[in-house]
Amino acid sequence: MAQALRGTVTDFPGFDDRADAETLRKAMKGLEYGSSLEDDVVGDTSGYYQRMLVVLLQANRDPDAGIDEAQVEQDAQALFQAGELKWGTDEEKFITIFGTRSVSHLRRVFDKYMTISGFQIEETIDRETSGNLEQLLLAVVKSIRSIPAYLAETLYYAMKGAGTDDHTLIRVVVSRSEIDLFNIRKEFRKNFATSLYSMIKGDTSGDYKKALLLLCGGEDD
C-alpha cells in the first residue's frame, strides 16, 4: 500500500472491513515511512474518492448484528433519493452508508434498493458517479456481496486478454491461499466457465507457474 501511494493509488483486492483497515494502519506505523496510512491517502487523493478511502480506513463499520428492517428501508430510500431521484448526486450519502453500515445490513439494503428502484445498486453507481469514486464504490459493493466472487473476478481480469497483471495475480493467490482460495476457485469456475487452475496454467510458465499452481491447489471440474 505504501508503494502504491508513491504514484497512483490502486485498489486492494479483498479489502473488507475494520480488521483489514486496522491491520494496514498498524503495519504502516511499524514501518519507517514517517507518516500514517491515512495521512498518505489524504496527501495523494482528493474529493469524494479521498473521503471514501478515509472512511474505510477509519474502520467504523457497524458490527454485524440483528437486521433492523426499518433501517434497511430508510437506507435504501436514502440511496434512491441521493441518486436516481436527485438532480446531480449526493455522494456523501453513498459514502456514509457504504462506509459505516454492517455487511449483513448492506446486503439487505442492496436487495431492498432493487425492490424500491427497479435497479441494481451497481447500475445506479455507474450512472451517478465516475472515475476513481465509481470504481471504489463498485469494489465495496462487490466485496459486500461476496469477497470470493469479487476476488475471482479480479483474478480473471488479471489474466484475460494480452499480457498478465502479475502483481495482482501474485498478491491475490498468495494472500488468500490459506484463507478462502478454495471458495474463490469455486466462484471462478461458476462465473467464468473455466477453472482458476486452468487459466493460471495457460497464462504463466516455468517455476512461476509451478508455484502458483501449487498454491492454487488443484483443478476444478
Side-chain angles (χ1 to χ4, degrees), residues 72-85:
V72 166
E73 174 83 23
Q74 182 176 325
D75 283 346
Q77 289 284 1
L79 290 171
F80 192 34
Q81 294 287 337
E84 299 287 352
L85 296 185

Side-chain angles (χ1 to χ4, degrees), residues 142-193:
K142 290 175 183 179
S143 294
I144 292 295
R145 288 193 187 280
S146 169
I147 288 178
Y150 172 54
L151 293 179
E153 180 182 326
T154 299
L155 287 168
Y156 178 76
Y157 285 108
M159 293 182 282
K160 183 178 182 292
T164 303
D165 182 350
D166 294 301
H167 179 71
T168 296
L169 179 58
I170 293 168
R171 181 174 58 183
V172 176
V173 171
V174 172
S175 67
R176 312 305 291 197
S177 61
E178 297 184 12
I179 301 174
D180 56 358
L181 191 56
F182 181 71
N183 292 331
I184 293 168
R185 282 167 45 189
K186 290 196 297 183
E187 291 293 335
F188 196 101
R189 187 71 181 87
K190 180 177 73 175
N191 294 329
F192 300 110

Side-chain angles (χ1 to χ4, degrees), residues 64-94:
D64 272 316
I67 302 297
D68 182 342
E69 291 297 336
Q71 186 64 53
V72 166
E73 174 83 23
Q74 182 176 325
D75 283 346
Q77 289 284 1
L79 290 171
F80 192 34
Q81 294 287 337
E84 299 287 352
L85 296 185
K86 185 178 177 63
W87 181 259
T89 306
D90 183 355
E91 291 89 347
E92 194 65 40
K93 183 65 67 176
F94 280 81

Side-chain angles (χ1 to χ4, degrees), residues 189-208:
R189 187 71 181 87
K190 180 177 73 175
N191 294 329
F192 300 110
T194 187
S195 69
L196 177 59
Y197 189 94
S198 293
M199 200 158 183
I200 291 173
K201 187 175 181 180
D203 214 62
T204 58
S205 61
D207 290 339
Y208 175 44

